[in-house]
Every structure is written in structure tokens, then in C-alpha cells.
Amino acid sequence: MLHINRENLKSSHQLVWFIVDFLMLGLLIINLAFIIWDSIYNFVAVQNLLREYTPGLQSLYHPIHERFIFYDMIFVSVFLTEFFLRWGYAVKAKVYDRWYFYPFIHWYDLVGCIPVGSLRFLRILRVISIIYRLHQYKIIDVTSTKLYRFVNFYYEAFMEELSDRIVLKVLSGVQQEVRRGSPLFDKIQQDILYPRRGMLADWISDRVAEAAQEGYVPNRGALRSYLEDRVDTALKQNLELSRLKYLPVVGPTIQETLEEAVGDIVANVIHQILDDLASASNHAFIEDIVNVFLPSPEQMQADETENEALINLIIEIIDAVKTQVRVKYWRENLP
């Protein structure tokens, strides 16, 4: 059932539009029922059936049927009045950036007022918009209704099927491009990335220096202790080094000196590397790495065997993605 939240009706404006929405919702339902009934009554067979079994109802409604346009225009006049009132309020409250946006956004309200059979049913969109507006303001809650859950389930199933087909079509197109040896990747490398090698090297150099400064410099002491402990443990487990302690007189001293020297050398080397990365001097090193990954077109000598293996790898990856896309999750939640 629809749940009315009275706490959200705080201001007088909200209360007025709340009442207007419910009145319009009731009028729209009555009007749509009237249109549907008159469309059914328009068949001669229905008129004859009513004349035979309920002549009183037929004689009462037939004059209304003859003047159906007149009665429908009464509803239309109410709908148009409400439309222009909302338009004026939207202009006054500056709901939209321009005063003439409102009729374009709410086009279905105007088109549904045209007294033509096929266009009258666009008033259903007006009903949906009112219900959505009331739900948006948490005045009513439609998500708890069985109808909403039913429609939402099949809508999600339809969208999943549609999106899966689109994704599979796109991935199949990518596979065809890869099989044909599309020059896209070469164009990206040669025309986009290679001319910007300097910019990429500068950016990566700055990011590496910033990461090293923030992560390494504050923890320099803890890192050194950790490295020395790891090196000491590794040296003690080394069989050849452990044999030095069996040398007479100087054996234990040599072993201890080597352990300290190796630990100090390793720690200093790693600290020097991190210090270099944390300083501006890392730029040349980063630039060399970028140049390796983005060689100049003159340096590029493609190996056909490696290219073929890379193409097969990309195709297999896309196949795996397509297999996963084909999984129908909505079937697991069938009611």
C-alpha cells in the first residue's frame, strides 16, 4: 500500500501542491477511465449489448457519448489551468534557468491535452509524473507495492539483456579490430604517448619523489632496523658464513664483522636508492624507464611472433569477459 509521510508536509507551499497533486491524480484517473469506457462504448456491438440487457444505462450514457468532446474538454480546461499555474510558480521560484524551459520539460502535459484519441492516452504519463513527484518528496512510497516490484524486476531484466547484447557487440568488434591488426595501439603510442614522453617523465618523477618522501623519510629509522634484522637473519642461515666461526682465534670476529659490514652495505644501498628517488635527481632514471617503454618510431622493430602472441592473449581476455557478460543474473531472482 502507499504510505503517506505527514512529517514531510511542513511548509504551506508543499501542502498546497500536495493537495493539488492528489486532486489532479484523482481527476486524471477518472478522465482516463472515462476515455477507456467511451472507447469501448464506441463499438456498435457494445451499444447493442447494453441496449438489450441494460437499456437504462444505455439511454443514460448515450447522450454523454454524443457530447464526449465537450465533457473531455472540461477535464482539459482543468488540466491546462493547473499546467499554467505550475508554470507560473516555476518562473516565480526560478526552478529552471529560463522561463520557457517548463513547457519543453513537461511536454507530455500539453500534448496529452490535445483532444485526439491517440494523444489522450499520454495523460498516463502525467499520472506517472505525479506519482513519481510524490514519491520523490517521500509523501508516498511506491517501492513497497507489488506492482512496482513486478515492473522493476522485468525492467532490470530487460536492461540487463539489452546492455549485455550491446557489450557483447562492442567486444566482438574489438576482437575483429585486433585480429585485423588495427593500427590503433600504434597510433596511441606514436601519436599521443611518444610526443609527450617528457611530460610523462616529469609527472612520474614528481609522483615517485612525493611518494618516497612521504613514505620513506618519516620511517627511515624503522626501515633501517628492519633491513638490518632481515640481513642478519639471512647471514646466520648461510652455511658457508657460519663455518667461519670454526677458525681458531679470529673466526668469530671475522664472522661478526662480515655480518655487520654486509648489513650496513645493504641498508646504505637501499637508503641511497630511496634518497635518490625522493629527490629531484630521479628524473634521469625515470626518463630512461619511460624511453624504454615508449621507444621512438625509429627504434621500434616489431617482432611478428611476439605480436601474434600478444594478439591471441588480448582475444582470450576479451573471450573471458564475454563469457562473464553472458551470465544472466536476473534469472537467479525470478519470482
Side-chain angles (χ1 to χ4, degrees):
M1 294 180 61
L2 299 180
H3 173 67
I4 298 177
N5 189 350
R6 298 173 183 268
E7 295 179 357
N8 292 279
L9 303 176
K10 295 180 179 179
S11 66
S12 59
H13 290 291
Q14 288 179 332
L15 179 60
V16 169
W17 290 119
F18 165 71
I19 295 173
V20 171
D21 279 334
F22 265 93
L23 289 175
M24 295 304 300
L25 185 61
L27 285 175
L28 282 165
I29 292 174
I30 294 172
N31 181 239
L32 288 170
F34 178 46
I35 293 172
I36 294 172
W37 165 247
D38 192 77
S39 300
I40 296 173
Y41 183 83
N42 198 43
F43 292 100
V44 177
V46 175
Q47 296 181 24
N48 293 335
L49 190 65
L50 290 175
R51 189 180 295 111
E52 181 177 353
Y53 292 98
T54 56
L57 178 61
Q58 195 275 337
S59 61
L60 178 66
Y61 183 74
H62 192 74
I64 299 176
H65 173 69
E66 295 292 334
R67 304 184 64 191
F68 171 77
I69 296 295
F70 170 76
Y71 292 107
D72 186 58
M73 289 302 296
I74 295 176
F75 287 98
V76 169
S77 62
V78 176
F79 298 153
L80 286 176
T81 301
E82 187 260 352
F83 176 83
F84 285 110
L85 284 174
R86 285 191 179 275
W87 189 1
Y89 176 78
V91 173
K92 181 180 179 181
K94 297 181 179 180
V95 177
Y96 303 106
D97 294 335
R98 296 290 185 271
W99 65 270
Y100 51 83
F101 282 9
Y102 185 86
F104 289 99
I105 295 174
H106 299 270
W107 60 270
Y108 48 85
D109 289 349
L110 284 177
V111 178
C113 291
I114 299 175
V116 178
S118 58
L119 296 178
R120 289 192 186 103
F121 287 99
L122 286 176
R123 296 170 196 178
I124 296 175
L125 296 179
R126 191 169 187 150
V127 173
I128 296 174
S129 69
I130 292 175
I131 294 176
Y132 175 76
R133 186 162 57 244
L134 294 175
H135 173 76
Q136 199 173 28
Y137 285 110
K138 298 182 180 180
I139 296 172
I140 62 175
D141 182 15
V142 298
T143 58
S144 59
T145 61
K146 292 183 178 180
L147 177 61
Y148 173 84
R149 290 196 295 268
F150 175 82
V151 173
N152 184 67
F153 171 79
Y154 285 101
Y155 169 78
E156 294 293 339
F158 170 75
M159 293 303 296
E160 183 179 347
E161 290 286 344
L162 180 62
S163 61
D164 287 352
R165 292 181 182 275
I166 294 174
V167 170
L168 290 173
K169 184 69 175 176
V170 171
L171 292 176
S172 298
V174 172
Q175 283 182 312
Q176 292 177 3
E177 289 292 326
V178 172
R179 287 193 181 98
R180 286 199 296 262
S182 174
L184 175 61
F185 301 111
D186 293 336
K187 287 183 178 179
I188 292 175
Q189 182 173 350
Q190 296 178 15
D191 299 340
I192 300 176
L193 296 179
Y194 176 72
R196 294 171 174 82
R197 286 194 305 178
M199 181 190 70
L200 291 173
D202 293 339
W203 183 84
I204 296 174
S205 174
D206 292 340
R207 298 289 80 76
V208 170
E210 182 179 352
Q213 289 173 359
E214 294 180 359
Y216 161 66
V217 175
N219 302 296
R220 183 193 300 267
L223 179 61
R224 184 179 184 88
S225 299
Y226 172 78
L227 290 173
E228 290 177 349
D229 182 64
R230 293 296 90 197
V231 171
D232 183 61
T233 302
L235 291 175
K236 287 180 179 179
Q237 294 175 352
N238 185 272
L239 183 61
E240 288 76 10
L241 189 61
S242 63
R243 291 173 180 171
L244 291 175
K245 65 182 179 181
Y246 296 112
L247 291 175
V249 183
V250 297
T253 304
I254 294 175
Q255 182 186 21
E256 184 178 353
T257 303
L258 282 175
E259 289 177 357
E260 292 178 357
V262 171
D264 190 60
I265 291 171
V266 172
N268 286 334
V269 168
I270 293 178
H271 281 301
Q272 186 61 50
I273 292 173
L274 293 175
D275 282 333
D276 291 340
L277 290 176
S279 66
S281 61
N282 71 356
H283 186 274
F285 172 69
I286 298 297
E287 187 175 9
D288 290 340
I289 294 177
V290 172
N291 290 337
V292 170
F293 283 99
L294 293 175
S296 63
E298 294 78 12
Q299 297 172 331
M300 294 178 61
Q301 296 179 353
D303 188 344
E304 296 298 331
T305 304
E306 292 181 357
N307 286 346
E308 186 67 25
L310 180 60
I311 290 173
N312 292 333
L313 175 62
I314 294 174
I315 291 174
E316 289 179 9
I317 293 174
I318 296 175
D319 280 331
V321 175
K322 289 167 68 176
T323 301
Q324 184 63 32
V325 169
R326 288 192 182 98
V327 177
K328 307 301 180 186
Y329 292 101
W330 63 267
R331 292 178 181 173
E332 300 175 0
N333 300 315
L334 275 174

